[in-house]
């Protein structure tokens, strides 16, 4: 099967067919090129998708990704990033192994095709030239033969005519001979050219054209083989990355299998554990017995120290049920006036009037009723310290020692801060070592630099290290204090807690119990307060005696004498100057303080208030 023998007369069709083959090859190259663009676009989209869901560096979101399920998700994102990289590899390999190679081959193919068909056209032109020569010699031979015949006929005519001279007859005879000779020459020339043309034609159809068409056939078959090989390469490029893609998918499966629900649950405990102890049982209050202004043994506290319970534990009193607030401050909150204040007296000195103004009267009611009213008021202020810290947090001033956090959270924050400071110290020490080495180099080779120029930088780095060390010591001290006071870290306190509970001692820890309803929504008690149920009642007096009073927001001058006879009020004398610690909230009463342990409410109309943040006795709290 050969195109040279089978298609010897299909030169034009073969030319069209080979051009079509090149077009097919170029179309395939374009297809692979678009595939590479798709792979690149897909890889880019996968990378952007992975990047979009990656947690931001140094953000709260990054801290939340400590759970195994979140870590598995991060691993999935990383594997998808690698997965995208394999699609980029597909694109690169297809471009280098198929597109570039085929593009170069197409150029070579076009050049080879052009050369082959140029040889074919050249052979065609040669055979056509030989044909034209043959036709020309043939016509010339025909013409000479006709001329010879006419010359012979003319000679014969002249020879038969008796009227023609002998000279004319001889001339006609010579002319006939010349024409015959010309015919013979044309015949010989025609015969020679004919033989040559037949030879050339035989060579053309049996040698030249078959050889040229054979080359074209081989060229076309190579093109077909080449496009088949390219298709195999196309599949092989994909096949090469399948194991790596499989590893990426195996990585995703492995990440999914690494999810540990128990570990995540433990992390939740570590993240949100407050360190507070649950409140104990509240004892029954017997309302069947007559109650005056004194409180029962099971009430929260005694307003005047009357009827004080004498529960003994280890030889000490432990009857306090409100461990986080000073007695006078709690009672001031619980017994604040709830009735309108009396109007100011008409006379200049109310003390001179027999029926002067009296302190606000209120219905006798159990203290627990007032306690319930206090606990259900909005917002719920469980202790003065939480109020103070809540206010400071609202103002954006977070305590440096993280005392606004619950015990466990505070310990974690302090530990994190210590670790950060240690890293900073290590960085500064590395920088100091580098500067020291550079200084030594300058000392040995003065031409490289002035050693004195590094002294300032070295001193600055040393100063920074010292500051960081002092800061670290401060936080380590706080951390040691917290770790020493955590209930879970003290076996002795656990034993005390068990003994304390065995005595059925009432335990109330409202600051821990109702922490979510505090003004700032955060835990605000110290570690020793959270473990209050494990220490003796007398320790509360010792620990909370140093509770700071509310800051004074101004001063006031008493316009009239007021006898504070009811609970929550305070007596004042006309002309007396006192500190204002709480303004009139619209109920007609102003809260004042005479000294650190004596404060209460007076009618607003009985005093002249001067609000001044810089007034004498005013204190600033952070």
């Amino acid at each position: 099967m050969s195109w040279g023998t089978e298609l010897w007369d299909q030169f034009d069709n073969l030319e069209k067919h080979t051009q079509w083959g090149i077009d097919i090859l170029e179309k395939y190259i374009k297809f692979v090129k678009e595939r590479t663009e798709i792979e690149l676009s897909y890889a880019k989209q996968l990378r952007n998708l992975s990047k979009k869901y990656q947690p931001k560096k140094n953000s709260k979101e990054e801290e939340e990704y400590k759970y195994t399920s979140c870590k598995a998700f991060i691993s999935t994102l990383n594997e998808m990033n690698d997965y995208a990289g394999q699609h980029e590899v597909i694109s690169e390999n297809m471009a280098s192994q198929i597109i570039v190679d085929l593009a170069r081959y197409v150029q070579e193919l076009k050049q080879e095709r052009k050369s082959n068909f140029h040889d074919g056209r050249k052979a065609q032109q040669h055979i056509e030239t030989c044909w034209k020569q043959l036709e020309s010699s043939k016509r010339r031979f025909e013409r000479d033969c006709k001329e010879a015949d006419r010359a012979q006929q003319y000679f014969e005519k002249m020879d038969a005519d008796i009227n023609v001279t002998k000279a004319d007859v001889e001339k006609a005879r010579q002319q006939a001979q010349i024409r015959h000779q010309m015919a013979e020459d044309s015949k010989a020339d025609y015969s020679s050219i004919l033989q040559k043309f037949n030879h050339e034609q035989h060579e053309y159809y049996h040698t030249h054209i078959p050889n040229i068409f054979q080359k074209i056939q081989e060229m076309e078959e190579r093109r077909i083989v080449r496009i088949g090989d390219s298709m195999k390469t196309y599949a092989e490029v994909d096949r090469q990355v399948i194991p790596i893609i499989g590893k990426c998918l195996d990585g995703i499966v492995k990440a999914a299998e690494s999810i540990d629900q128990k570990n995540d649950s433990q992390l939740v405990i570590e993240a949100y554990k407050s360190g507070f102890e649950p409140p104990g049982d509240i004892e029954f209050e017997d309302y069947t017995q007559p109650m005056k202004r004194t409180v029962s043994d099971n009430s929260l506290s005694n307003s005047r120290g009357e009827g004080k319970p004498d529960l003994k534990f280890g030889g000490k009193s432990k009857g306090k049920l409100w461990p986080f607030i000073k007695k006078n401050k709690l009672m001031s909150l619980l017994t604040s006036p709830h009735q309108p204040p009396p109007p100011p007296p008409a006379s200049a000195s109310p003390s001179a009037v027999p029926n002067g103004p009296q302190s606000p009267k209120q219905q006798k009611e159990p203290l627990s009723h007032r306690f319930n009213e206090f606990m259900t008021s909005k917002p719920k202020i469980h202790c003065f310290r939480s109020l103070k810290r809540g206010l400071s947090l609202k103002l954006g001033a977070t305590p440096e020692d993280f005392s606004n956090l619950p015990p466990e959270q505070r310990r974690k924050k302090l530990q994190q801060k210590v670790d950060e400071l240690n890293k900073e110290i290590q960085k500064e020490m590395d920088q100091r070592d580098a500067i020291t080495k550079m200084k030594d180099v300058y000392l040995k080779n003065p031409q490289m630099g002035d050693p004195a120029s590094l002294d300032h930088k070295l001193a600055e780095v040393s100063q920074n290290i010292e500051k960081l060390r002092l800061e670290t010591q401060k936080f380590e001290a706080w951390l040691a204090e917290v770790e020493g006071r955590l209930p879970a870290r003290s076996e002795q306190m656990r034993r005390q807690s068990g003994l304390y509970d065995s005595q059925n001692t009432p335990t109330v820890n409202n600051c821990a119990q109702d922490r979510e309803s505090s003004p700032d929504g955060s835990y605000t008690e110290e570690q020793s307060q959270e473990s209050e149920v494990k220490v003796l009642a007398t320790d509360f007096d010792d620990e909370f005696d140093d509770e700071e009073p509310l800051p004074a927001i101004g001063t006031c001058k008493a316009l009239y004498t007021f006898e504070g006879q009811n609970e929550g009020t305070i007596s004042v004398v006309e002309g007396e100057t006192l500190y204002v610690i709480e303004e009139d909230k619209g109920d007609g009463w102003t809260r004042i303080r005479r000294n650190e342990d004596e404060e209460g409410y007076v009618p607003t109309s009985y005093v002249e208030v001067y609000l001044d943040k810089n007034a004498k006795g005013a204190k600033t709290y952070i």
Side-chain angles (χ1 to χ4, degrees):
M1 181 183 64
S2 173
W3 287 6
T5 57
E6 304 291 338
L7 303 175
W8 60 271
D9 57 345
Q10 299 297 320
F11 186 88
D12 293 339
N13 287 332
L14 287 179
E15 187 176 17
K16 292 179 181 179
H17 177 77
T18 52
Q19 182 60 47
W20 171 83
I22 292 176
D23 293 340
I24 287 294
L25 193 57
E26 289 179 337
K27 183 182 291 186
Y28 180 74
I29 293 174
K30 185 178 180 181
F31 158 75
V32 177
K33 185 177 181 181
E34 291 185 3
R35 166 71 189 277
T36 59
E37 293 174 353
I38 291 174
E39 292 292 342
L40 282 178
S41 176
Y42 181 51
K44 182 178 180 181
Q45 292 179 15
L46 284 179
R47 288 191 183 278
N48 290 339
L49 181 65
S50 177
K51 183 178 179 181
K52 177 181 178 182
Y53 286 93
Q54 287 281 357
K56 297 179 180 178
K57 297 293 183 182
N58 301 323
S59 65
K60 183 179 179 182
E61 183 182 4
E62 187 179 23
E63 296 179 0
E64 295 173 352
Y65 274 75
K66 59 187 177 181
Y67 301 101
T68 57
S69 56
C70 295
K71 289 180 179 179
F73 180 52
I74 294 296
S75 298
T76 300
L77 294 178
N78 295 333
E79 294 294 345
M80 288 307 298
N81 198 48
D82 296 341
Y83 186 94
Q86 297 311 307
H87 286 278
E88 291 175 347
V89 170
I90 291 176
S91 177
E92 293 173 0
N93 291 342
M94 285 186 176
S96 61
Q97 300 178 22
I98 298 178
I99 297 177
V100 175
D101 190 48
L102 284 185
R104 183 173 58 253
Y105 176 71
V106 165
Q107 297 301 321
E108 297 174 355
L109 189 64
K110 287 181 178 180
Q111 189 66 30
E112 183 180 1
R113 175 182 175 276
K114 181 180 179 181
S115 176
N116 289 332
F117 280 99
H118 175 73
D119 293 341
R121 289 190 182 90
K122 187 177 180 180
Q124 282 183 338
Q125 291 174 0
H126 177 70
I127 198 66
E128 288 175 358
T129 302
C130 292
W131 173 257
K132 289 178 181 179
Q133 290 177 354
L134 178 63
E135 287 293 321
S136 177
S137 64
K138 180 180 179 181
R139 286 192 298 269
R140 187 170 58 254
F141 172 60
E142 182 182 7
R143 186 178 65 249
D144 290 344
C145 288
K146 288 180 180 180
E147 290 291 334
D149 288 342
R150 284 196 295 270
Q152 183 65 29
Q153 290 175 4
Y154 180 73
F155 167 70
E156 291 178 354
K157 182 180 178 182
M158 291 293 289
D159 188 40
D161 189 357
I162 59 172
N163 294 323
V164 178
T165 64
K166 187 177 180 179
D168 291 336
V169 173
E170 186 63 24
K171 184 178 180 180
R173 186 182 64 78
Q174 292 178 355
Q175 188 66 28
Q177 289 179 351
I178 292 173
R179 292 296 178 183
H180 279 290
Q181 185 64 38
M182 290 180 62
E184 290 294 331
D185 292 342
S186 297
K187 180 180 178 181
D189 185 54
Y190 171 67
S191 176
S192 174
I193 292 176
L194 179 60
Q195 291 178 0
K196 181 179 179 182
F197 174 77
N198 288 334
H199 177 72
E200 292 292 340
Q201 181 176 254
H202 184 274
E203 290 291 327
Y204 175 78
Y205 286 112
H206 293 87
T207 304
H208 297 310
I209 287 299
N211 290 338
I212 293 172
F213 281 12
Q214 185 65 30
K215 291 179 181 179
I216 294 174
Q217 180 181 355
E218 292 173 357
M219 176 193 72
E220 185 67 11
E221 289 176 354
R222 287 197 306 272
R223 177 193 67 82
I224 295 171
V225 172
R226 194 62 171 269
I227 196 171
D229 293 340
S230 298
M231 290 180 179
K232 291 180 181 178
T233 304
Y234 177 87
E236 191 62 27
V237 167
D238 258 344
R239 194 188 306 276
Q240 288 174 354
V241 301
I242 287 178
I244 304 178
I245 291 177
K247 289 182 180 180
C248 294
L249 300 178
D250 291 341
I252 295 176
V253 173
K254 185 177 180 181
E257 293 174 350
S258 68
I259 295 176
D260 185 356
Q261 67 276 12
K262 298 297 184 181
N263 183 72
D264 286 359
S265 299
Q266 183 62 33
L267 290 177
V268 174
I269 294 175
E270 295 177 1
Y272 300 109
K273 181 180 179 181
S274 67
F276 292 125
E277 290 292 329
D281 296 336
I282 298 177
E283 292 193 355
F284 175 75
E285 295 187 25
D286 191 358
Y287 292 97
T288 59
Q289 299 179 2
M291 294 185 63
K292 298 181 181 180
R293 291 311 299 173
T294 58
V295 296
S296 66
D297 292 345
N298 294 325
S299 299
L300 295 178
S301 60
N302 286 328
S303 61
R304 300 299 183 213
E306 299 172 0
K308 197 169 186 178
D310 192 18
L311 298 177
K312 296 294 183 179
F313 177 72
K316 295 184 179 181
S317 172
K318 57 169 184 172
K320 285 191 177 182
L321 298 181
W322 190 268
F324 304 126
I325 304 179
K326 285 182 132 182
K327 186 186 302 181
N328 60 339
K329 292 185 179 181
L330 174 63
M331 294 311 301
S332 178
L333 281 175
L334 298 182
T335 59
S336 59
H338 287 259
Q339 293 184 355
S347 62
S349 178
S351 58
V353 181
N355 297 323
Q358 300 296 324
S359 61
K361 303 296 182 181
Q362 60 187 45
Q363 183 180 359
K364 299 290 184 178
E365 58 181 355
L367 181 58
S368 59
H369 290 186
R370 183 62 57 86
F371 168 74
N372 291 333
E373 182 180 2
F374 165 69
M375 289 302 296
T376 55
S377 63
K378 299 293 183 179
K380 294 181 180 179
I381 304 176
H382 306 298
C383 53
F384 287 99
R385 183 172 295 175
S386 66
L387 174 61
K388 180 182 69 176
R389 290 176 183 158
L391 179 61
S392 65
L393 286 177
K394 289 180 181 178
L395 295 176
T398 304
E400 187 182 12
D401 59 351
F402 303 107
S403 57
N404 61 309
L405 297 175
E408 280 291 337
Q409 303 306 315
R410 184 186 180 196
R411 182 186 64 79
K412 288 177 62 179
K413 284 291 184 181
L414 289 172
Q415 184 64 54
Q416 181 180 355
K417 188 67 176 179
V418 169
D419 294 341
E420 291 176 358
L421 289 172
N422 287 330
K423 290 181 180 179
E424 292 294 329
I425 291 175
Q426 187 61 42
K427 288 181 181 179
E428 293 291 337
M429 292 177 67
D430 293 341
Q431 185 176 0
R432 182 184 63 182
D433 294 342
I435 295 174
T436 303
K437 290 181 180 179
M438 186 178 295
K439 185 176 180 180
D440 293 339
V441 172
Y442 287 173
L443 289 173
K444 295 177 181 179
N445 302 285
Q447 66 276 9
M448 297 182 65
D450 182 13
S453 62
L454 300 176
D455 292 340
H456 176 70
K457 184 65 177 177
L458 192 60
E460 182 180 351
V461 172
S462 300
Q463 187 177 4
N464 291 339
I465 292 175
E466 187 63 27
K467 289 181 180 179
L468 289 172
R469 282 177 176 171
L470 292 176
E471 191 77 7
T472 303
Q473 292 175 2
K474 179 174 63 176
F475 280 95
E476 286 177 345
W478 284 332
L479 179 61
E481 178 186 1
V482 171
E483 290 178 344
R485 294 163 65 181
L486 280 177
R489 298 178 181 272
S490 175
E491 186 64 25
Q492 180 182 0
M493 297 190 72
R494 282 198 295 269
R495 291 195 299 268
Q496 289 180 355
S497 176
L499 182 58
Y500 192 84
D501 293 338
S502 65
Q503 298 294 330
N504 295 322
T505 305
T507 56
V508 179
N509 191 346
N510 287 303
C511 284
Q513 185 178 6
D514 298 327
R515 55 184 177 271
E516 292 185 359
S517 60
S518 61
D520 57 349
S522 64
Y523 307 97
T524 56
E525 287 308 309
E526 296 293 339
Q527 314 302 340
S528 60
Q529 296 168 342
E530 290 126 14
S531 58
E532 190 65 32
V533 295
K534 300 181 181 181
V535 296
L536 303 180
T538 54
D539 293 339
F540 295 132
D541 294 332
D542 298 336
E543 179 158 352
F544 293 98
D545 281 345
D546 60 348
E547 182 71 38
E548 296 178 348
L550 290 177
I553 60 175
T555 58
C556 67
K557 181 179 180 181
L559 300 177
Y560 314 100
T561 298
F562 174 72
E563 296 292 339
Q565 297 179 354
N566 281 357
E567 212 151 13
T569 62
I570 186 173
S571 300
V572 296
V573 180
E574 180 182 355
E576 184 179 5
T577 300
L578 306 103
Y579 296 114
V580 178
I581 59 175
E582 187 177 318
E583 293 183 77
D584 187 351
K585 301 300 183 181
D587 55 0
W589 295 92
T590 299
R591 188 175 176 183
I592 64 173
R593 179 169 62 231
R594 178 175 287 109
N595 53 52
E596 188 171 341
D597 295 326
E598 190 174 1
E599 60 185 42
Y601 290 89
V602 296
T604 304
S605 58
Y606 277 60
V607 294
E608 185 175 359
V609 178
Y610 307 96
L611 293 180
D612 184 5
K613 293 182 179 180
N614 297 321
K616 182 179 180 181
K619 296 183 179 180
T620 303
Y621 293 86
I622 298 177

